[in-house]
Amino acid sequence: MNERIDILMITYNRPGYTKRALGALLDSCDATMRVWVWHNGTHEPTLEVVRSFQDHPNFHRLELCPENKRLREPTNWFWENSDGAYVCKIDDDCMLPIGWAQTLRAAHEANPSFGVIGAWRFYDEDYVPELAEKKTEAFAGGHKIMKNAWVQGSGYLLRRECQKQNGLLGESESFPAYCIRAALSGWQNGWYFPFIHEEHMDDPRSTFCEIKNDEDFMANRPLSAINDNVTTLAQWAARVKHMAMLAQQAHPNPKQHVGWRRRRRDYLNRLRGMLGLHKDWRKAT
């Protein structure tokens, strides 16, 4: 039986984070796990860090790309070239504890309906029991997940059968959108519970965070911050907490995230924003 877990890390221009993240990832591997690294761009200090790990027995392949292809092309290349029973991506600014992959794999093996299940990148202070408990459910093998249509694009374990059924990432399709598409085809997604903490080093609360002021932030903005036009460190800190709340509030039924239901929700959110009725990360200064 193929139990292999193939893991992608996309690196770019963050040598400090990459050293911690890649080192922690390789330390968490067992003999059934392989790490693939796609390096975007030509930032030599980061590439030197990556190459320093190439002798590790679980470092499988390094792919160099002189352009910054960001997410879609590296992910699709990885899915097409790997053959593991499970595939995963760990961001170059994230760290997971020993045993994370084995726990997620055991949950998958006990529950063939699981498509994408993931680690939780937020903190204990972000947990809201009255929201989360409503959609946390016990499954076979003593495993629990907080059900959701989508998870974030790092620290997840995606079943190969689910990936094959749903194909590659579409043009401009985010990983959460891909998860929703998979959920619509019948797969169960969500976060493993009790949560497996994914240390997101770009969270201002992380002891490893290298961003200390707005100048640092603008020089090293994460992709999600660029996409959401986040321009200050205070906005970023507020957005992180907002995303934790959103994940717990989100309806687990994927039909609530597509079609007229999504259009209605987006309209109501825009209306609330125009009326100043909700306080979110955009209000932070």
Side-chain angles (χ1 to χ4, degrees):
M1 178 180 178
N2 181 4
E3 297 181 346
R4 179 179 296 133
I5 297 173
D6 280 324
I7 306 164
L8 172 67
M9 179 172 286
I10 302 171
T11 59
Y12 181 43
N13 63 349
R14 314 178 91 182
Y17 283 165
T18 298
K19 184 175 181 178
R20 289 185 184 276
L22 186 52
L25 174 56
L26 289 166
D27 285 345
S28 75
C29 287
D30 61 28
T32 67
M33 299 162 66
R34 302 189 304 188
V35 175
W36 305 53
V37 177
W38 172 294
H39 182 74
N40 276 323
T42 58
H43 191 250
E44 193 60 33
T46 303
L47 189 54
E48 287 180 8
V49 167
V50 172
R51 285 179 167 146
S52 73
F53 289 103
Q54 277 191 275
D55 290 336
H56 193 284
N58 294 98
F59 192 113
H60 178 67
R61 180 168 171 178
L62 172 61
E63 185 75 9
L64 302 178
C65 180
E67 302 176 61
N68 182 7
K69 296 292 186 177
R70 296 192 174 180
L71 168 69
R72 179 179 173 274
E73 187 169 325
T75 300
N76 285 343
W77 164 84
F78 169 64
W79 286 355
E80 288 183 308
N81 285 279
S82 63
D83 61 359
Y86 304 97
V87 288
C88 170
K89 180 171 75 70
I90 306 295
D91 286 347
D92 62 353
D93 59 1
C94 291
M95 296 187 293
L96 286 157
I98 299 295
W100 68 273
Q102 293 82 356
T103 297
L104 295 182
R105 178 169 55 196
H108 268 292
E109 290 176 348
N111 296 274
S113 64
F114 285 2
V116 192
I117 55 174
W120 180 250
R121 62 167 45 183
F122 305 106
Y123 289 89
D124 290 346
E125 66 189 67
D126 300 318
Y127 180 58
V128 185
E130 56 267 32
L131 295 176
E133 289 176 0
K134 293 177 182 178
K135 56 180 189 174
T136 300
E137 186 175 319
F139 289 85
H143 301 283
K144 290 183 179 181
I145 64 169
M146 187 177 79
K147 298 188 298 183
N148 204 50
W150 47 267
V151 299
Q152 76 276 356
S154 175
Y156 62 81
L157 209 60
L158 166 61
R159 186 186 297 272
R160 174 65 73 179
E161 290 93 331
C162 177
Q163 184 274 307
K164 286 184 176 180
Q165 179 181 337
N166 291 281
L168 302 176
L169 284 172
E171 192 71 35
S172 302
E173 184 176 38
S174 67
F175 187 74
Y178 183 89
C179 291
I180 293 170
R181 184 154 59 88
L184 287 167
S185 67
W187 296 95
Q188 178 63 67
N189 304 329
W191 286 277
Y192 193 87
F193 190 87
F195 294 135
I196 299 169
H197 176 62
E198 180 181 41
E199 182 72 16
H200 186 207
M201 291 182 278
D202 256 349
D203 188 320
R205 294 170 293 180
S206 173
T207 57
F208 305 105
C209 185
E210 297 178 355
I211 301 171
K212 305 302 180 185
N213 52 52
D214 288 348
E215 185 178 359
D216 289 345
F217 178 72
M218 288 303 293
N220 299 281
R221 279 196 300 173
L223 179 59
S224 57
I226 295 171
N227 291 340
D228 282 350
N229 196 31
V230 183
T231 58
T232 70
L233 187 57
Q235 284 182 344
W236 178 243
R239 182 191 180 279
V240 170
K241 294 182 73 68
H242 174 74
M243 293 305 294
M245 182 67 72
L246 178 64
Q248 294 168 92
Q249 289 176 331
H251 201 292
N253 185 341
K255 293 181 180 179
Q256 295 291 327
H257 302 280
V258 295
W260 67 267
R261 293 178 179 87
R262 178 176 179 176
R263 290 194 295 273
R264 181 183 65 179
R265 186 182 68 246
D266 290 347
Y267 169 76
L268 291 174
N269 284 337
R270 287 196 300 272
L271 183 61
R272 292 188 188 101
M274 288 188 295
L275 296 175
L277 296 180
H278 59 192
K279 298 178 181 179
D280 61 16
W281 58 267
R282 297 172 187 85
K283 308 293 185 181
T285 57

